[in-house]
Amino acid sequence: MRVPRLVLFLVAFAALIYVTERLWQLFSMFADLVRMLALAWLLAYVLHPLVAWLDRGPFPEPWLEGLIRRGAPLQLRVLTRFRIPYPIGATLVYTGLLAAILIGLLLGVPLLVPQALELTTLLTSYLQKAPEILVELQRDLAARLNVPVESLAILPSREAWQDLARLGAGWVLPILVETARRIGGGLVEFLLILALSYYTMLDWRNLSRQILALIPPAYHDEIRATAAILDRTFGGFLRGQLLIALINGLMTFGVMVAFGAPFAGLIALLAGLVILIPLIGAPIALWGPPLTFWLRGEWSAGLWMWIVLLIYQQILFHFLVPRMLGEATGLPPLLTLIAILVGVRLLGFWGFIFAIPVAGAGYSLAFLLLNSQGAPTRAPEPSAGSPSTDPIEDRK
């Protein structure tokens, strides 16, 4: 008796679901370890071009020759032989990163903690005043509509507003304490990730060559082309986003200090982080700093700060970002929005950050596969003196 194909298909599909569920349960047991290893690899991936660039030589010969033709001394040609060996370069890069983090903590914690406490006190006081303000707005609305106040009973009453304000004020301090606790725990975890990433960087070349050795030589050109596309889309987008976050944080801090705005360090830090969120990050970073003035009733100063930040964001996103990112992902706007929605659905907050580069990498790889049907594709050669764009094997 022959078993129908539909039955075989349903049985195989059910078995696949069962195996997938068991594998997901196994993965959940080691989720923290997997996350740390993934973040360590990601940090090494972001920093690898800088280490490879130092190893090849930070002073390319064509650039030095151009300086000499413009009148620079001939002794500059000696710099063409200057290079920092890969292990030493990796050590210097990670030591510099660790030193920058420690200096940032030493300078930032005494600045940010008082600002966070002061902002908490200010928000709590506004929440306590909110019921009176909202009830007054309710009366004004009834007067403008020429209706009795009782007809707006659908709106919360004064007591309801007061209960909501007390509830909100009670949330502010616990949220701040929990955030500080998570930051402290995250700092310890980050130091461990930094150590794992350092050793990943040291073994990067050996691992890359071992992986490449497992692949038949006939496919090496395709693998290099794929690696170059992934580095342009995924790696280029992430590095560009980190640079944009740094620029936005520094510019926001500078503008707020110039206007004498309160909470400059705290708001600038949040503005640098929130701009990493696609689509909604830039508006939040734009409206956050002026609120520090508007909460104190200084409407004119807040408006002028908003105008300055708006002009800066237009320059950033229309002139600087295209130069830093270029066509890093190549995703059409509709696919970008779909990628964000799917990423948030699957990964939550992390989907906001990684949905676009992952989707862009898949989009570019799809075109590579389609083009490879007609003619072989070779990876582009990295320009001299530029950071490596070949994560499979560095070329000197």
Side-chain angles (χ1 to χ4, degrees):
M1 179 179 177
R2 296 182 59 184
V3 179
R5 290 186 177 180
L6 179 60
V7 175
L8 292 176
F9 174 77
L10 292 177
V11 171
F13 186 70
L16 178 62
I17 294 177
Y18 176 80
V19 172
T20 303
E21 181 182 4
R22 294 302 179 185
L23 289 176
W24 181 257
Q25 292 178 355
L26 181 63
F27 172 79
S28 300
M29 296 174 59
F30 302 96
D32 293 340
L33 179 60
V34 172
R35 186 186 73 250
M36 292 179 60
L37 292 175
L39 291 176
W41 172 85
L42 185 64
L43 180 60
Y45 179 74
V46 170
L47 296 178
H48 174 256
L50 177 60
V51 178
W53 175 61
L54 293 174
D55 182 49
R56 288 196 311 272
F59 304 104
E61 185 174 355
W63 180 67
L64 291 175
E65 290 295 336
L67 291 179
I68 292 174
R69 285 195 297 270
R70 292 183 179 90
L74 297 177
Q75 288 77 6
L76 286 179
R77 287 200 177 97
V78 178
L79 296 178
T80 58
R81 296 191 296 271
F82 175 77
R83 54 180 293 271
I84 300 177
Y86 189 88
I88 298 177
T91 303
L92 290 177
V93 168
Y94 278 86
T95 302
L97 178 61
L98 181 59
I101 293 172
L102 294 178
I103 293 174
L105 290 174
L106 292 175
L107 297 179
V109 170
L111 173 68
L112 298 179
V113 171
Q115 291 185 7
L117 294 175
E118 184 181 352
L119 182 60
T120 301
T121 304
L122 180 64
L123 291 177
T124 302
S125 65
Y126 271 97
L127 285 174
Q128 292 173 349
K129 296 177 182 177
E132 297 293 335
I133 297 174
L134 294 173
V135 170
E136 186 64 30
L137 289 176
Q138 185 174 343
R139 291 175 179 172
D140 184 64
L141 179 61
R144 290 178 181 275
L145 297 177
N146 196 21
V147 296
V149 179
E150 293 77 10
S151 63
L152 299 178
I154 188 174
L155 298 177
S157 62
R158 178 192 297 268
E159 292 74 16
W161 286 120
Q162 290 174 346
D163 293 340
L164 182 61
R166 282 193 294 268
L167 183 62
W171 283 347
V172 173
L173 188 58
I175 290 176
L176 185 63
V177 173
E178 178 65 16
T179 301
R181 186 187 69 81
R182 288 181 175 270
I183 291 175
L187 181 61
V188 176
E189 183 176 334
F190 178 77
L191 292 177
L192 182 57
I193 290 173
L194 192 67
L196 292 173
S197 179
Y198 172 69
Y199 288 106
T200 302
M201 179 71 78
L202 292 180
D203 290 335
W204 187 280
R205 287 179 167 175
N206 292 331
L207 292 174
S208 300
R209 290 174 183 140
Q210 290 172 4
I211 294 173
L212 197 64
L214 298 175
I215 302 171
Y219 296 98
H220 282 192
D221 286 342
E222 286 76 9
I223 295 299
R224 294 184 190 281
T226 302
I229 289 177
L230 288 175
D231 192 70
R232 177 178 60 83
T233 53
F234 185 81
F237 184 85
L238 287 181
R239 296 179 191 111
Q241 284 290 91
L242 293 176
L243 182 58
I244 291 170
L246 178 61
I247 293 174
N248 190 69
L250 293 176
M251 285 297 299
T252 302
F253 180 76
V255 171
M256 294 187 71
V257 169
F259 277 86
F263 319 118
L266 182 62
I267 300 299
L269 176 62
L270 295 177
L273 294 176
V274 78
I275 205 169
L276 293 173
I277 303 176
L279 300 182
I280 65 173
I284 296 175
L286 174 63
W287 289 93
L291 282 176
T292 59
F293 275 133
W294 292 337
L295 287 175
R296 301 168 62 180
E298 301 178 20
W299 301 101
S300 178
L303 178 60
W304 281 110
M305 179 189 291
W306 182 85
I307 292 174
V308 171
L309 290 175
L310 178 63
I311 295 173
Y312 148 71
Q313 280 202 5
Q314 298 305 308
I315 296 174
L316 176 67
F317 288 105
H318 290 87
F319 295 97
L320 298 181
V321 170
R323 293 179 179 273
M324 289 187 291
L325 296 182
E327 297 296 329
T329 61
L331 276 178
L334 179 60
L335 291 183
T336 300
L337 182 59
I338 294 174
I340 292 175
L341 294 176
V342 174
V344 172
R345 179 69 176 175
L346 295 177
L347 302 175
F349 171 77
W350 294 108
F352 264 120
I353 308 299
F354 295 107
I356 292 180
V358 170
Y363 186 77
S364 299
L365 287 178
F367 275 96
L368 173 66
L369 293 176
L370 292 176
N371 292 332
S372 64
Q373 301 299 323
T377 307
R378 297 185 64 87
E381 294 287 342
S383 58
S386 63
S388 173
T389 57
D390 188 355
I392 296 297
E393 181 178 355
D394 301 320
R395 300 173 183 176
K396 298 180 182 179

